[in-house]
Amino acid sequence: MSVLRWAARAVLGLSLTGIAAAATVEVTVDGIEPVQSNLYVALCQGGLSEANCRTGQDAPVRGTLQRVVLQDVAPGTYAVAVFQDVNGNGRLDRTGLGLPMEPYGFSGEAVRGARPDFERAHIAVREPGLSVRVRLSRALPPR
């Protein structure tokens, strides 16, 4: 096969992989505290740190159960991370030891008292998409 023909096939293959339809991820969040605040819903890849959770959206709280739909998600392995920004500062507040001070939750199996783990929280996103339920809880009582 000539180099030119190989290059043309390689370019065609790359362009076809970009055509794959994106998925939607419908996240149903329950356990929301009934206070004026925002929900932050993020997709995380490879870990649960803030650096791994770059894709997502925020939404004003409208009730104790709420649905957020993330669109145009490339198929892959993710975890869903959610927190309720009760004090409106745009971030998940933590104690000096790193414990979350606001309601938060992850996809996957919840293990009370265990440190969040990407392996337990990961989900496989495929076309056309999926629905995930995340229950918020607090590590500490409200101050």
Side-chain angles (χ1 to χ4, degrees):
M1 176 183 309
S2 74
V3 172
L4 186 58
R5 189 180 299 166
W6 179 84
R9 283 187 180 182
V11 169
L12 181 61
L14 287 175
S15 65
L16 288 178
T17 59
I19 299 175
T24 60
V25 178
E26 181 181 297
V27 181
T28 301
V29 183
D30 65 4
I32 300 169
E33 294 182 3
V35 296
Q36 185 176 357
S37 55
N38 281 326
L39 284 179
Y40 287 84
V41 179
L43 289 176
C44 308
Q45 282 191 297
L48 297 176
S49 72
E50 191 174 328
N52 296 92
C53 302
R54 296 272 182 212
T55 303
Q57 69 183 59
D58 62 312
V61 167
R62 294 185 309 267
T64 58
L65 179 78
Q66 191 164 327
R67 190 183 83 165
V68 176
V69 178
L70 303 172
Q71 298 183 349
D72 299 324
V73 177
T77 301
Y78 300 90
V80 177
V82 180
F83 80 93
Q84 183 178 357
D85 184 17
V86 175
N87 63 5
N89 66 357
R91 61 187 169 93
L92 177 61
D93 295 320
R94 297 174 183 273
T95 66
L97 296 174
L99 294 173
M101 296 171 59
E102 295 175 295
Y104 71 99
F106 299 96
S107 53
E109 66 180 75
V111 179
R112 183 99 175 128
R115 183 180 195 117
D117 177 81
F118 185 80
E119 284 303 311
R120 284 194 298 261
H122 81 280
I123 55 173
V125 175
R126 296 182 183 91
E127 298 169 25
L130 77 152
S131 295
V132 177
R133 189 173 197 98
V134 175
R135 175 144 183 84
L136 299 184
S137 62
R138 283 185 175 264
L140 302 168
R143 288 186 175 178

